[in-house]
């Protein structure tokens, strides 16, 4: 995989932010490729929001730097104005303006002509399901709609990079799907950095994720790669009709990635990476030896397993 | 698009936005707009409509009761009648005359300011005046006043009571009055009544309310977090402040007009040019916006604005003498214009300018100095306010 400057949309180098004794973000370095959906995964308080604020120039790092498409980002007013769009964690919008008014205002404040702003706003309202409430004041919107407006506000000026801070939090299932599909559709044309503590969401949405805890980067790879790299793999439980589970052991021993196996009577438990291939072999052995399969359970490794392995603790909610 | 054109467009976009927000936040807006008129009607009620007559408590110890054919006139009764019939030019009685017997109770009323003046007419009052009239004695009859020296109304009550009493005694004793005083006022042809004196200050009070609407427009962005969105846009601080200023000057001018019309409805007739009044009003509103930026720099939430923000509001109201006059502290004179300590508040200069325009018929040339001084202060406060606002709210 190439990481030449050409296809890097955002690069963070040694980003660090301290609040007194607390190191909220600790020497964070990563590169987000153009057009990908990049997940920033970590429990509450991991430093995701802090990192995101430094990525858009709203917070000055104590150390380190951010580059947007190869240009250094200087923290301060209007820093990333045209290149970056942001949807903050707490929906930030104007309660006394209608959806349309505030979206058009944001467009105008980014230098769009009135006609172009109107056009973009109409598209966004439709795409994010806000059409019906287009002329209602922000403060009268439901929580889910406020969060969708929050996303739309970051998109009016068509940024190169969209930063979404926990966009799925507080959304009902329908909105969740709508937002997920919308973000997916954006990818390619736009680079999306999305923070979440929801492993499932990250798996569904992101090409690559980094796992952060206590401000530090623990892993960075594709979702599959991260599972391979850090997880113990997919888990299997085979229950046979005779107490002959041990008969399978030699066969398993021949496998390329010899798994750790636990035998409990007729039940065989093991975990290994690359579940599909392994499953095929095991079933072949079962068939060859004429054994009867009573039950087969397989649980694919999740990011949560990986996370717990990496941090040694569960999610803090 | 050229830079200037783009900047103008962003400013107009923000102007439109802040205008609608201001309108939809109607409670604060209404408060700002009706504050001036409310005080106009209140002051009118206090000074004119209810024109409270001075309460004279009269302890009459003079024994001569009836005039009749006696050679001694019932002077105390005559004096009481004189006080009772004394009138303002508009026909309203000057005094509310209340005879009293209990000296202690009367004194308590003076202390509590339920009455303005206690007059004692001594025993033998009528005889004294009769003797004076008949040239049998040169010793004057005497009235005793008891008043609360700290009660401003008492001084006025004494002066008017004196005048009535002297006129009555002179008439009774056929003594010629050696001196007559004609009161003239500066500028306007008619003497100013209390209400008219207050109108300029009340107009400025309406402008001071812009402190709330302007600071609201700014603090709201901080409070609801939208300042971050503005910071991520191309909008500049100067553009934001220009838009807020234009909108708030509009609010100030409307408040000024409403307050002026309210005063007119109460019978006030300003002497000078309304156009000049509007110019001074607009410049002063701009200065209040500048002070709002300074205020907003210290505030992070709407709650803080409505609590802590009241402090600068009172400073402006109090030291611009919108509520009551203060002792003047002279600091300097520039080109023949005396400057006082409280002129660091542009609204104080504005009260003087409004006074010149409305009560003395002043024109643009008469208030030119004030306009320049207010504009200079506006520039200073804007510079200071913008610097602080940037530091406090726009620094990352
Ligand atoms: N302004 C601040 N002052 C002090 N501490 C802060 C501030 N902002 C964030 N923190 C702390 O920094 C850590 C990371 O916060 P944050 O970036 O919001 O985490 P996340 O978004 O991953 O939940 C937390 O412990 C939080 O309490
Ligand atoms: Mg967060």
């Amino acid at each position: 995989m190439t990481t030449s400057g050409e296809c890097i949309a955002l690069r963070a180098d040694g980003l660090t932010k301290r609040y007194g004794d607390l190191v909220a973000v600790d020497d964070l370095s990563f590169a987000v490729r153009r057009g990908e959906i990049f997940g920033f995964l970590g429990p509450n308080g991991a430093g995701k929001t802090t990192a995101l604020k430094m990525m858009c120039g709203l917070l000055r790092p104590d150390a380190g730097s951010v580059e947007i498409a190869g240009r250094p980002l200087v923290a301060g007013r209007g820093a990333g104005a045209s290149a970056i769009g942001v949807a903050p964690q707490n929906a930030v919008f104007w309660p006394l303006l209608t959806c349309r008014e505030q979206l058009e205002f944001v467009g105008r404040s980014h230098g769009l002509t009135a006609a172009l702003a109107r056009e973009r706003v109409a598209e966004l309202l439709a795409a994010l399901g806000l059409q019906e409430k287009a002329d209602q004041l922000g403060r009268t919107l439901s929580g889910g709609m406020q969060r969708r407006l929050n996303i739309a506000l970051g998109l009016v000026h068509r940024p190169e990079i969209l930063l979404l801070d926990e966009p799925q939090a507080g959304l009902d299932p329908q909105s969740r799907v709508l937002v997920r599909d919308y973000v997916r559709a954006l990818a390619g044309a736009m680079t999306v950095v999305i923070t979440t503590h929801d492993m499932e969401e990250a798996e569904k949405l992101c090409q690559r994720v980094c796992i952060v805890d206590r401000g530090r980067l623990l892993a960075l790879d594709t979702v599959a790669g991260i599972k391979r790299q850090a997880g113990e793999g997919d888990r299997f439980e085979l229950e046979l009709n005779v107490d002959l589970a041990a008969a399978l052991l030699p066969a398993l021993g021949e496998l390329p990635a010899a798994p750790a196996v636990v035998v409990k009577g007729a039940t065989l438990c093991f975990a290994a990476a690359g579940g599909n291939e392994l499953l095929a072999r095991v079933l072949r052995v079962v068939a060859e030896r004429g054994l009867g399969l009573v039950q087969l359970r397989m649980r694919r490794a999740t990011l949560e397993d990986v996370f717990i392995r990496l941090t040694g603790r569960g999610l803090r909610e | 698009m050229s830079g200037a054109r783009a900047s103008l467009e962003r400013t107009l976009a923000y102007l439109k936005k802040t205008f609608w927000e201001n309108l939809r936040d109607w409670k604060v807006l209404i408060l700002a707009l009706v504050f001036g008129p409310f005080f106009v009607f209140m002051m009118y009620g206090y000074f004119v409509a209810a024109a409270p007559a001075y309460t004279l408590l009269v302890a009459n110890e003079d024994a001569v009761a009836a005039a009749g054919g006696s050679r001694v006139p019932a002077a105390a009764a005559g004096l009481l009648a004189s006080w009772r019939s004394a009138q303002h030019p508009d026909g309203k009685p000057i005094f509310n005359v209340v005879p009293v017997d209990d000296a202690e109770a009367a004194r308590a009323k003076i202390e509590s300011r339920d009455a303005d003046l206690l007059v004692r007419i001594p025993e033998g009052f009528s005889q004294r005046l009769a003797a004076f009239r008949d040239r049998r004695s040169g010793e004057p009859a005497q009235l005793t006043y008891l008043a609360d020296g700290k009660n401003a109304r008492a001084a006025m009550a004494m002066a008017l009571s004196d005048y009535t009493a002297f006129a009555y005694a002179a008439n009774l004793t056929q003594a010629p009055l050696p001196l007559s005083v004609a009161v003239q006022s500066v500028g306007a042809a008619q003497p100013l009544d209390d209400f008219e004196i207050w109108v300029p200050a009340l107009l400025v009070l309406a402008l001071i309310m812009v402190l709330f609407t302007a600071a609201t427009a700014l603090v709201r962005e901080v409070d609801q977090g939208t300042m971050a969105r503005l910071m991520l846009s191309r909008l500049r601080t100067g553009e934001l402040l220009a838009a807020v200023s234009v909108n708030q000057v509009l609010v100030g001018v409307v408040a000024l007009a409403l307050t002026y019309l309210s005063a007119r409805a109460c019978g006030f007739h300003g002497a000078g040019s309304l156009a000049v009044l509007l110019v001074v009003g607009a410049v002063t509103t701009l200065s209040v916006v500048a002070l709002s930026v300074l205020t907003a720099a210290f505030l992070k939430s709407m709650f803080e604005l409505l609590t802590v923000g009241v402090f600068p509001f009172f400073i402006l109201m109090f030291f611009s003498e919108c509520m009551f006059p203060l002792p003047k502290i002279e600091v300097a004179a520039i080109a023949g214009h005396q400057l006082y300590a409280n002129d660091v508040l542009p609204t104080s200069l504005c009260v003087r300018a409004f006074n010149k325009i409305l009560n003395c018929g002043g024109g643009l040339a008469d208030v030119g100095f004030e306009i320049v001084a207010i504009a200079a202060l506006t520039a200073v406060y804007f510079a200071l306010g913008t610097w602080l606002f940037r530091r406090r709210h726009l620094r990352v």
Side-chain angles (χ1 to χ4, degrees):
Chain A
M1 264 180 262
T2 169
T3 48
S4 80
E6 183 58 20
C7 48
I8 296 302
L10 184 152
R11 185 192 296 279
D13 188 14
L15 273 189
T16 302
K17 183 73 196 177
R18 291 182 203 89
Y19 291 113
D21 287 341
L22 176 84
V23 187
V25 171
D26 191 356
D27 195 22
L28 214 55
S29 301
F30 57 87
V32 181
R33 296 185 192 129
R34 182 158 296 165
E36 77 175 330
I37 303 180
F38 185 86
F40 227 79
L41 205 55
N44 289 331
K48 303 182 295 293
T49 299
T50 308
L52 214 71
K53 281 186 181 163
M54 290 191 281
M55 286 184 230
C56 62
L58 278 177
L59 190 66
R60 193 183 299 279
D62 292 324
S65 62
V66 174
E67 268 180 21
I68 305 292
R71 299 181 302 271
L73 176 80
V74 183
R77 264 176 72 60
S82 52
I84 299 180
V86 180
Q89 182 170 356
N90 304 313
V92 168
F93 58 94
W94 286 272
L96 292 172
L97 297 180
T98 68
C99 296
R100 196 189 303 280
E101 282 168 350
Q102 56 193 295
L103 287 165
E104 284 184 9
F105 162 70
V106 167
R108 302 284 280 144
S109 74
H110 274 100
L112 302 189
T113 63
L116 187 55
R118 261 199 303 280
E119 189 184 310
R120 295 254 179 101
V121 168
E123 281 170 30
L124 278 172
L125 287 170
L128 284 164
L130 289 166
Q131 241 164 354
E132 272 175 44
K133 306 278 173 173
D135 296 309
Q136 289 207 9
L137 297 189
R139 68 169 173 211
T140 67
L141 300 178
S142 69
M145 289 201 169
Q146 291 178 348
R147 298 201 63 82
R148 280 183 266 151
L149 175 62
N150 184 43
I151 296 173
L153 285 167
L155 280 166
V156 192
H157 64 294
R158 292 247 171 106
E160 293 162 33
I161 303 170
L162 178 64
L163 306 180
L164 298 172
D165 200 353
E166 307 208 7
Q168 304 285 36
L171 289 185
D172 57 31
Q174 285 90 335
S175 299
R176 204 172 257 262
V177 172
L178 186 142
V179 168
R180 188 191 304 141
D181 289 347
Y182 186 69
V183 170
R184 255 197 213 121
L186 287 178
M190 206 176 272
T191 309
V192 183
V193 177
I194 182 164
T195 78
T196 178
H197 56 241
D198 184 338
M199 309 285 162
E200 221 179 307
E201 198 62 46
E203 280 197 81
K204 283 182 185 153
L205 208 46
C206 303
Q207 273 106 51
R208 294 195 309 149
V209 296
C210 67
I211 295 183
V212 197
D213 188 37
R214 302 202 166 124
R216 246 178 266 137
L217 186 83
L218 301 180
L220 193 169
D221 203 341
T222 57
V223 173
I226 261 188
K227 285 191 207 165
R228 237 190 339 263
Q229 162 194 332
E232 56 183 351
D234 305 324
R235 294 173 164 279
F236 296 87
E237 267 183 50
L238 275 94
E239 196 185 325
L240 304 172
N241 61 350
V242 282
D243 191 359
L244 283 170
L248 274 173
L249 287 178
L252 291 173
E254 292 160 18
L255 294 172
V261 184
V262 179
V263 183
K264 289 181 205 153
T267 308
L268 199 67
C269 303
F270 60 93
N276 288 347
E277 192 196 343
L278 189 60
L279 186 61
R281 281 173 179 252
V282 168
L283 290 176
R284 204 159 51 235
V285 172
V286 168
E288 281 167 5
R289 312 229 163 161
L291 302 170
L293 193 61
V294 176
Q295 205 175 43
L296 168 67
R297 271 203 299 270
M298 172 182 164
R299 190 168 76 82
R300 308 225 77 161
T302 62
L303 275 176
E304 186 151 1
D305 297 332
V306 178
F307 180 82
I308 289 166
R309 224 181 135 78
L310 284 174
T311 64
R313 58 199 166 130
L315 288 175
R316 288 158 297 181
E317 279 283 2
Chain B
M1 244 191 297
S2 75
R5 171 87 195 280
S7 177
L8 179 67
E9 296 225 340
R10 288 193 297 268
T11 308
L12 289 176
Y14 194 87
L15 176 60
K16 183 176 156 192
K17 165 190 171 294
T18 191
F19 175 83
W20 282 112
E21 285 181 316
N22 199 185
L23 208 61
R24 286 169 189 158
D25 196 8
W26 55 271
K27 283 179 195 161
V28 176
L29 183 63
I30 296 273
L31 176 71
L33 293 181
V34 304
F35 201 71
F38 172 77
F39 273 97
V40 163
F41 289 121
M42 230 179 66
M43 286 290 195
Y44 176 77
Y46 185 71
F47 284 125
V48 182
Y54 299 102
T55 302
L56 284 193
L57 304 179
V58 182
N60 184 7
E61 294 163 13
D62 186 29
V64 180
S70 162
R71 279 189 36 77
V72 177
L79 184 52
L80 277 165
S82 271
W83 276 324
R84 286 201 170 103
S85 60
Q87 287 181 345
H88 285 293
D90 61 3
K92 293 205 173 77
I94 295 177
F95 301 111
N96 169 28
V97 182
V98 183
V100 291
D101 295 323
D102 182 349
E104 273 311 302
R107 194 189 170 88
K109 278 191 170 176
I110 296 294
E111 279 169 359
S112 66
R113 299 195 181 178
D114 290 324
D116 299 302
L117 194 61
L118 170 62
V119 188
R120 195 170 71 88
I121 304 177
E123 198 184 338
F125 181 74
S126 297
Q127 279 88 352
R128 278 260 163 84
L129 280 179
F132 193 91
R133 178 192 63 193
D134 303 339
R135 305 293 186 261
R136 286 184 278 114
S137 159
E139 205 178 329
Q142 195 178 27
L143 293 175
T144 312
Y145 289 161
L146 180 75
D148 177 353
K150 295 181 293 297
N151 179 1
R153 287 171 55 84
M156 203 63 199
M158 276 192 265
L160 293 168
S161 159
D162 272 359
Y163 187 79
T164 312
F166 275 112
Y168 172 75
N171 185 37
L172 186 82
T173 58
Q174 286 135 33
L177 278 174
L179 184 69
S180 128
V181 176
V183 178
Q184 289 182 333
S185 63
V186 181
Q190 290 182 342
L192 298 177
D193 65 30
D194 285 343
F195 175 63
E196 287 181 313
I197 289 170
W198 278 110
V199 168
L202 295 177
L203 293 177
V204 175
L205 194 61
L207 300 182
I208 293 176
M209 283 308 284
V210 168
L211 190 78
F212 281 115
T213 50
T216 296
L218 297 168
V219 174
R220 194 161 33 209
E221 301 280 17
V222 178
D223 195 13
Q224 67 204 12
T226 41
M227 196 57 95
R229 289 219 180 275
L230 299 180
M231 286 166 75
L232 288 169
S233 78
R234 287 167 189 262
L235 191 78
R236 310 263 165 77
T237 315
E239 293 161 1
L240 185 153
L241 293 180
V244 168
S245 299
V246 170
N247 188 49
Q248 295 303 323
V249 167
L250 186 70
V251 174
V253 167
V254 171
L256 181 64
L258 287 177
T259 310
Y260 182 77
L261 290 175
S262 305
R264 284 292 298 263
C266 294
F268 174 79
H269 289 283
S273 146
L274 284 186
V276 178
L277 187 81
L278 277 183
V279 169
V280 177
V283 179
T284 305
T285 310
L286 207 55
S287 76
V288 176
V289 176
L291 289 167
S292 310
V293 178
L294 194 59
T295 303
F298 293 96
L299 308 174
K300 281 202 155 52
S301 68
M302 294 302 288
F303 177 75
E304 283 185 359
L305 171 59
L306 296 174
T307 48
V308 184
V310 172
F311 183 66
F313 172 77
F314 276 121
I315 296 272
L316 279 184
M317 193 163 87
F318 188 80
F319 288 103
S320 305
E321 305 185 60
C322 289
M323 284 288 133
F324 42 85
L326 294 173
K328 295 277 189 194
I329 303 166
E330 298 182 359
V331 286
I334 298 175
H337 296 274
Q338 181 62 50
L339 285 174
Y340 304 93
N342 53 354
D343 289 342
V344 296
L345 303 179
T347 41
S348 164
L349 290 156
C350 183
V351 172
R352 274 220 295 290
F354 277 6
N355 209 12
K356 284 185 184 175
I357 297 166
L358 293 173
N359 285 331
C360 309
L364 193 57
D366 299 296
V367 293
F369 174 78
E370 278 82 3
I371 293 178
V372 170
I374 292 169
L377 285 174
T378 304
V380 170
Y381 286 127
F382 253 124
L384 189 63
T386 308
W387 179 72
L388 263 175
F389 192 84
R390 276 212 178 102
R391 271 183 70 90
R392 305 263 312 176
H393 296 312
L394 301 172
R395 206 165 59 159
V396 296

